[in-house]
């Protein structure tokens, strides 16, 4: 491939520099390929679900596609510098995490149980969480203040999906497949997302976490937090669609 074309392909410029013992770089590469595969799968499966579920699967594909592109760039940063690609991670999260939260609204909308209030509360909570965390990590505000702001946003999201209007709507109106997916999704947001504030504390507030190990954990967490999250939506969409067709 000509050098000029290499510059157009994310991640290609440093591909030759990836060493067999660079497990962080390898994890970036593996996860990026998994995200690309998931994108193709979700887009293909939009053909197999009813119209009201197509948006949910398309958004899942957008999440994995955006994340895949960022992973190519994050791998390049790591391979070239050996430093954590913090800025790229937050750009990725600022785009993908609101979309993930909107998925709660979309699956409730598909079953006729969503309101605009659910959408806006989840979106605002997500932005508070991400912006507070980034400002703290990037040094724009005090680390501890940024951490507290980010945690408040996260707790607000958890309250909404467990005990707020979204949680009550899912419990009252969702069919079994949607209830299963919704429940698993909110536990991903609870347990899967807990790795991020833990990494914030260990990596930035105390400095006790190894940078390489932290990046590997973040990368593996995205398999659950992005790909598995989307697969749960796919399960609910295909199950409900097939059930409606069989009637």
């Amino acid at each position: 491939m000509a050098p000029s074309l290499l510059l157009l392909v994310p991640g290609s410029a440093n591909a030759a520099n990836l060493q067999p013992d660079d497990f962080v770089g390898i994890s970036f590469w593996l996860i990026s390929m998994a995200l690309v595969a998931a994108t193709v799968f979700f887009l293909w499966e939009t053909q197999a679900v009813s119209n009201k579920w197509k948006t949910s699967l398309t958004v899942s594909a957008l999440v994995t596609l955006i994340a895949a592109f960022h992973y190519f760039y994050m791998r390049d940063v790591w391979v070239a510098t050996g430093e954590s690609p913090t800025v790229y991670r937050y750009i990725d999260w600022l785009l993908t995490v609101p979309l993930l939260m909107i998925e709660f609204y979309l699956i409730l909308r598909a079953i006729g149980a969503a309101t605009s209030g659910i959408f806006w509360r989840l979106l605002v909570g997500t932005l508070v969480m991400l912006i507070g965390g980034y400002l703290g990590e990037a040094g724009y505000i005090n680390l501890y203040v940024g951490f507290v702001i980010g945690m408040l946003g996260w707790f607000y999201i958890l309250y909404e999906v467990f005990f707020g209007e979204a949680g009550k709507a899912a419990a009252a109106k969702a069919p079994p497949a949607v209830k299963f997916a919704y429940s698993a999704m909110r536990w991903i947001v609870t347990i899967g997302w807990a790795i991020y504030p833990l990494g914030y504390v260990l990596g930035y507030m105390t400095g006790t976490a190894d940078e390489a190990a932290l990046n590997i954990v973040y990368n593996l967490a995205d398999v659950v937090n992005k790909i598995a999250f989307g697969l749960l939506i796919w399960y609910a969409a295909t199950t409900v669609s097939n059930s409606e067709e069989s009637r």
Side-chain angles (χ1 to χ4, degrees), residues 27-28 31 71 74 84-86 89-90 93 137 192-204 211-226:
S27 70
F28 275 120
I31 304 307
Y71 263 83
M74 288 193 289
S84 293
T86 302
R89 280 207 189 275
Y90 269 96
W93 290 341
E137 285 195 35
W193 286 19
I195 190 64
Y196 304 122
L198 183 61
Y200 188 104
V201 171
L202 297 179
Y204 294 93
E211 198 167 19
L214 196 59
N215 274 282
I216 290 176
V217 172
Y218 278 165
N219 293 350
L220 294 177
D222 270 349
V223 174
V224 175
N225 297 337
K226 291 185 171 72

Side-chain angles (χ1 to χ4, degrees), residues 150-166:
M151 291 297 288
L152 288 175
W154 184 37
F155 290 152
Y156 185 74
I157 291 168
L158 292 178
Y159 176 82
E160 177 63 28
V161 298
F162 276 94
F163 308 110
E165 185 182 3

Side-chain angles (χ1 to χ4, degrees), residues 53 107 174-183 232 235-240:
W53 288 100
I107 67 172
V178 177
K179 281 186 178 179
F180 172 82
Y182 183 95
S183 177
L232 288 167
Y235 166 77
T238 54
T239 301
V240 173

Side-chain angles (χ1 to χ4, degrees), residues 108 111-113 162 164-176 179 182 186:
L108 291 175
I111 61 171
F162 276 94
E165 185 182 3
K168 292 175 182 176
K173 300 181 180 180
K179 281 186 178 179
Y182 183 95
R186 66 187 182 185

